[in-house]
Amino acid sequence: MEREVIIRVEDIHYFYPNGVHALRGVTLNIHKGEFIALLGQNGSGKTTLAKHLNGLLVPHKGRVLVKGIDTRKVSVAKIAKIVGYVFQNPEHQIFAKTIFDEIAFGLRNIGVPEDEIEKRVIEALKIVDLNKPLDMNPHFLSTGEKHRLAIASVLAMKPEVIILDEPTTGLDYKRSRQLMELIKRLHEQGHTIILITHDMAFAAEYSTRTIILHEGKVIADGPTKEVFTQLDLLAKSSLKPPQITLLAIELYKRGYPIPKEIMSVKEMVNEFLKIYMLAKGLS
Amino acid sequence: MKESYAVIVEDVWFKYIAGKDYALKGINFKVRPGEFVVIMGPSGCGKSTLAYTLNGMIPHMFKGDFKGKVIVDGLDTLEHSIAELSTRVGIVFQNPEAQLVTMTVLEELAFGPENLGLPKEEIIRRIREVAKVARLENKLHRSTLHLSGGEKQALAIASVLALRPKILVLDEVTSMLDPIGTELVSEMVVRLNREHGLTIIAIDHRVEWAAEYANRIVIMDNGQIIGEGSPEEVFASPDLVRKIGFRAPQVSELAYELMDQGVKLDKIPISLNEAVEFYSRLLDEILSSRGDSPWREKL
């Protein structure tokens, strides 16, 4: 059964004021419940494309339909209710004097009543597990906490789709992992996730679909397991799959009964155990 | 004969003026000339603070309570200025944008040598040399604004190299770069160590990279060094890396998991090439334990 299409991108082109042709005919559909990794080098058009998905930018040619609404014809606020955007640097996003006001800002903008706002603020903070006083100045939070606050302020809008632009940049491994687990939970709760990242290991492990942009065009779009095992295609964009996938590909090539589409250490462990059990069981 | 060291850090403690606690708590650490050391640790563990002590930024620039001794290339950092020390130790930071001070690649590379008051011919010689190392020799007249992120960082490293330091300290120099930029800068760093003999001390969280290129990995947590050794030693068990919330190379993580499941392994592979051989042998053993293997034929 075909899943509901939430965002339709139809042959869009975008030019920056300096003349750079950032998107050169991008077409794709985003379905409800997908977890998409959007990959590509800096300057490939990833962020430009992502900003089209929530109406922050509108195409010069072609169109973007969010739940059937043409983004050129409505305000960003209207689209923001459906598609939330977490910016790369939380410092650029956070501006209010208190944690409460930071999260409430978007809600007030779309006219949510105050008692409902309070409920949503508390709920959003609970989801991202940020237990700080509501009147605390967000600038005193650590970087990891600021990231979670930025996500909370997007979550409070209850968007169906959440775009995260390089959310793990600048975080150490433990905090990156925690953040990815949070994003995974949001996905499990029904949010459609679009993750812009350079971290191939996280993209492989968490996403179900991968889109690679290269010089403003989509050069790969498919199940992550398929895209990540096409080394030539990845190399076009100077990308390499994670080490565990490379290991699987090599073992597969040597004729061992290991599928090459291994996206995480855990999957590889399971393959080894399967072989181990079968060998033991049959001997 | 006394062994020579590029860097000697002896019982160093440091507390920033505004800091509640010491950021460094008794660091002892020695680096031999030509070594490639990677320092890892969670945010706030003191690894950048340690880097600042290596070229005199601590205690000369960042004031605070400094105890202990740091000797780089024979110079005690307490007795020499940052300017003097920078001809021995170069330091490069995370954000390439924040380190470039001039308009063009050429000016950027000339900046250090000019400030040393070197003769013109020598300045030109050095610019040519470091531009080549950074593969920027054809971009000398380009505006620094028109370089890619990786090129900017390569330029930042080259401009430090123009002072001819023997030791290069790199504080997460690829963490803000895309994969192409990361590859460009990483390749340059490895080349500087292997071909030019520079001593490299790199703060970096890329475990697979560290496992492949470092001679030694130093693990820091809470202002202290909690473990160090060759990559083989550091990743021999999951304990050290997991203690600081990190992971090991994925091929090592696979070995830990298999051991947890009761599979007996005689070593832990850390690089891809090694892992391909190691796991091939392991699979051979498992498959041959039941004689003829039908699995291969199925493929």
Side-chain angles (χ1 to χ4, degrees):
Chain A
M1 199 187 79
E2 186 71 353
R3 275 185 296 184
E4 181 197 343
V5 175
I6 299 190
I7 304 176
R8 232 176 249 288
V9 177
E10 295 176 354
D11 192 29
I12 61 171
H13 288 254
Y14 184 80
F15 300 85
Y16 278 102
N18 62 7
V20 171
H21 193 175
L23 295 177
R24 299 162 179 253
V26 172
T27 297
L28 45 92
N29 288 335
I30 291 168
H31 303 88
K32 193 172 175 56
E34 284 190 303
F35 192 135
I36 298 175
L38 185 52
L39 311 179
Q41 301 294 331
N42 292 347
S44 61
K46 303 185 299 283
T47 299
T48 309
L49 172 61
K51 286 181 176 166
H52 277 80
L53 303 179
N54 82 332
L56 277 174
L57 294 176
V58 291
H60 292 116
K61 205 180 141 228
R63 58 176 189 168
V64 177
L65 301 176
V66 177
K67 294 208 120 185
I69 307 165
D70 189 329
T71 57
R72 292 171 303 184
K73 294 179 181 155
V74 294
S75 68
V76 178
K78 180 136 195 209
I79 304 291
K81 273 196 266 185
I82 306 167
V83 185
Y85 198 111
V86 181
F87 289 87
Q88 180 175 1
N89 187 341
E91 306 275 355
H92 293 168
Q93 183 170 343
I94 292 169
F95 65 97
K97 286 201 179 69
T98 70
I99 288 178
F100 185 89
D101 286 344
E102 183 64 40
I103 302 176
F105 179 80
L107 300 171
R108 286 177 181 142
N109 260 348
I110 56 169
V112 176
E114 278 298 320
D115 53 337
E116 167 76 9
I117 287 180
E118 193 174 333
K119 225 176 78 194
R120 289 217 207 167
V121 168
I122 291 165
E123 196 180 293
L125 285 170
K126 205 171 154 198
I127 296 172
V128 301
D129 195 23
L130 190 65
N131 302 309
K132 297 283 174 185
L134 292 178
D135 59 355
M136 182 180 172
N137 188 321
H139 292 279
F140 293 117
L141 295 172
S142 72
T143 312
E145 289 164 348
K146 280 180 190 162
H147 269 276
R148 281 185 276 154
L149 175 60
I151 293 174
S153 60
V154 167
L155 280 181
M157 304 283 283
K158 297 194 188 269
E160 282 182 48
V161 183
I162 302 173
I163 301 170
L164 300 113
D165 195 347
E166 295 188 37
T168 59
T169 302
L171 296 185
D172 63 24
Y173 181 73
K174 188 174 167 184
R175 293 196 175 95
S176 299
R177 177 60 83 178
Q178 286 167 345
L179 188 57
M180 288 309 301
E181 286 296 316
L182 166 62
I183 295 167
K184 183 181 166 189
R185 283 200 302 278
L186 296 174
H187 179 239
E188 285 163 358
Q189 286 160 14
H191 291 282
T192 303
I193 304 288
I194 300 169
L195 173 72
I196 301 177
T197 187
H198 288 313
D199 192 308
M200 297 296 280
F202 282 144
E205 184 172 342
Y206 289 92
S207 74
T208 53
R209 172 180 169 194
T210 292
I211 297 170
I212 303 178
L213 278 186
H214 184 67
E215 294 173 357
K217 287 183 180 161
V218 173
I219 60 160
D221 181 0
T224 296
K225 280 176 182 285
E226 281 173 27
V227 174
F228 269 61
T229 42
Q230 296 179 50
L231 300 185
D232 296 349
L233 192 58
L234 293 175
K236 241 191 222 173
S237 220
S238 297
L239 297 171
K240 258 193 259 167
Q243 194 183 36
I244 201 73
T245 309
L246 289 171
L247 176 64
I249 292 171
E250 286 305 315
L251 293 176
Y252 172 82
K253 273 201 233 156
R254 288 184 172 201
Y256 293 104
I258 298 274
K260 59 181 196 279
E261 296 88 3
I262 295 284
M263 295 294 119
S264 68
V265 173
K266 202 170 176 184
E267 282 180 26
M268 188 66 123
V269 172
N270 289 337
E271 291 301 327
F272 267 79
L273 292 180
K274 240 193 278 173
I275 296 171
Y276 195 68
M277 295 305 174
L278 278 167
K280 290 286 169 218
L282 290 172
S283 62
Chain B
M1 206 187 91
K2 215 178 134 196
E3 202 167 6
S4 78
Y5 287 102
V7 174
I8 301 173
V9 177
E10 259 177 31
D11 194 26
V12 164
W13 294 70
F14 185 73
K15 185 157 79 86
Y16 290 97
I17 285 184
K20 282 183 205 135
D21 193 10
Y22 278 85
L24 297 177
K25 303 171 183 172
I27 299 284
N28 285 292
F29 163 66
K30 283 177 182 170
V31 181
R32 290 196 186 83
E35 256 197 296
F36 192 140
V37 179
V38 171
I39 302 177
M40 296 185 158
S43 300
C45 73
K47 53 195 195 301
S48 291
T49 305
L50 176 59
Y52 303 152
T53 68
L54 301 178
N55 78 332
M57 283 169 70
I58 287 175
H60 300 305
M61 201 165 113
F62 296 124
K63 302 289 180 189
D65 182 8
F66 178 87
K67 286 185 277 195
K69 197 178 226 184
V70 176
I71 295 169
V72 285
D73 196 23
L75 301 186
D76 187 329
T77 58
L78 275 174
E79 291 161 13
H80 296 269
S81 67
I82 297 177
E84 281 174 274
L85 292 165
S86 48
T87 60
R88 313 290 178 106
V89 188
I91 186 163
V92 181
F93 304 100
Q94 209 172 57
N95 187 351
E97 311 278 344
Q99 296 169 87
L100 303 179
V101 293
T102 64
M103 296 306 288
T104 68
V105 172
L106 182 71
E107 288 169 31
E108 193 65 34
L109 296 176
F111 186 82
E114 278 178 348
N115 276 290
L116 289 180
L118 296 171
K120 192 177 165 194
E121 300 72 37
E122 175 65 14
I123 295 176
I124 292 169
R125 189 179 319 138
R126 289 195 183 189
I127 289 173
R128 288 218 175 101
E129 183 187 296
V130 296
K132 199 166 165 230
V133 172
R135 307 211 199 282
L136 288 168
E137 64 265 53
N138 296 322
K139 294 182 177 168
L140 285 177
H141 299 285
R142 190 168 292 195
S143 158
T144 55
L145 298 172
H146 294 147
L147 298 176
S148 71
E151 286 171 335
K152 282 179 186 163
Q153 199 61 300
L155 176 60
I157 295 174
S159 62
V160 158
L161 292 178
L163 298 172
R164 295 252 172 94
K166 292 180 185 159
I167 303 153
L168 194 56
V169 178
L170 305 167
D171 189 359
E172 297 197 44
V173 288
T174 65
S175 66
M176 290 175 73
L177 303 180
D178 62 9
I180 288 183
T182 300
E183 180 67 30
L184 180 96
V185 171
S186 305
E187 187 273 333
M188 178 176 171
V189 170
V190 170
R191 196 153 33 88
L192 286 170
N193 176 252
R194 298 205 169 158
E195 292 174 21
H196 300 259
L198 246 78
T199 306
I200 306 283
I201 301 172
I203 296 171
D204 210 297
H205 54 259
R206 291 173 299 150
V207 285
E208 278 93 10
W209 185 72
E212 179 120 19
Y213 297 108
N215 306 117
R216 185 147 55 107
I217 294 175
V218 172
I219 308 271
M220 285 185 71
D221 194 18
N222 192 24
Q224 293 174 313
I225 292 176
I226 61 162
E228 64 179 304
S230 67
E232 289 78 9
E233 288 163 349
V234 166
F235 298 126
S237 90
D239 302 346
L240 204 49
V241 269
R242 290 197 182 156
K243 206 167 175 179
I244 56 163
F246 274 43
R247 65 170 175 89
Q250 287 186 318
V251 296
S252 315
E253 289 281 332
L254 173 61
Y256 305 152
E257 296 284 343
L258 291 175
M259 285 167 87
D260 284 349
Q261 299 287 336
V263 180
K264 285 208 179 74
L265 302 177
D266 51 5
K267 65 175 271 198
I268 304 289
I270 59 168
S271 72
L272 178 64
N273 289 338
E274 195 188 352
V276 172
E277 298 307 324
F278 178 81
Y279 290 112
S280 292
R281 274 203 308 278
L282 178 67
L283 286 166
D284 284 338
E285 274 171 37
I286 298 173
L287 293 168
S288 67
S289 69
R290 60 165 305 278
D292 186 36
S293 152
W295 317 105
R296 289 187 186 222
E297 283 150 35
K298 268 195 201 159
L299 293 161

